[in-house]
Amino acid sequence: MENFEQRWAKVEELMLERFGKLPDMEGILFLIGVNEFGNLPRRKFSKEQKQDLMHVAVCSLLSRRGYFEYTGRDEDGWPHYAPVQSVEATGLAAQEQVLKECVIEYFEL
């Protein structure tokens, strides 16, 4: 199996190929959130909706590891998740590492 750095480099390469530039982690989370939301409105997302999309992405990614559970969609089509257990990673660097691992797994599927 390839190491973490090689696998992350493949995700970055995918982003460059699809979008012509490399988004930061917030940009990647936004893209995942949009993908998970599915129904794109004809208008642009508000700042609050963009934050909500990143939250959806984090919950979706962490649900793959059992930290959250998908509970369904609301009347506006937004996916919702319930916390199941706490993430063991403490500190910003450790939390970002967990998110990067989940992003890698998301794009490898």
Side-chain angles (χ1 to χ4, degrees):
M1 178 191 273
E2 298 176 65
N3 65 30
F4 172 80
E5 289 81 18
Q6 291 171 320
R7 293 169 66 214
W8 182 250
K10 285 186 176 184
V11 170
E12 291 179 327
E13 184 180 317
L14 176 67
M15 294 289 121
L16 281 170
E17 287 175 8
R18 287 191 183 173
F19 304 107
K21 66 179 189 174
L22 183 62
D24 60 11
M25 181 56 86
E26 286 183 353
I28 292 171
L29 291 175
F30 174 75
L31 293 169
I32 292 171
V34 167
N35 190 56
E36 293 300 310
F37 180 69
N39 303 338
L40 296 178
R42 295 201 183 267
R43 63 188 186 336
K44 292 185 177 183
F45 290 110
S46 69
K47 182 177 180 178
E48 183 179 314
Q49 288 173 320
K50 289 176 183 176
Q51 291 172 335
D52 290 344
L53 287 167
M54 288 187 282
H55 178 73
V56 165
V58 169
C59 292
S60 172
L61 291 170
L62 294 177
S63 72
R64 297 165 186 268
R65 296 219 172 157
Y67 297 115
F68 284 86
E69 180 179 52
Y70 176 73
T71 59
R73 292 183 180 264
D74 65 18
E75 61 278 354
D76 295 322
W78 286 87
H80 288 271
Y81 294 83
V84 175
Q85 63 179 331
S86 298
V87 179
E88 297 92 24
T90 56
L92 190 57
Q95 291 172 1
E96 185 169 339
Q97 178 72 20
V98 169
L99 275 179
K100 281 184 172 182
E101 290 170 2
C102 291
V103 167
I104 290 168
E105 292 165 6
Y106 184 87
F107 286 106
E108 287 179 340
L109 294 178

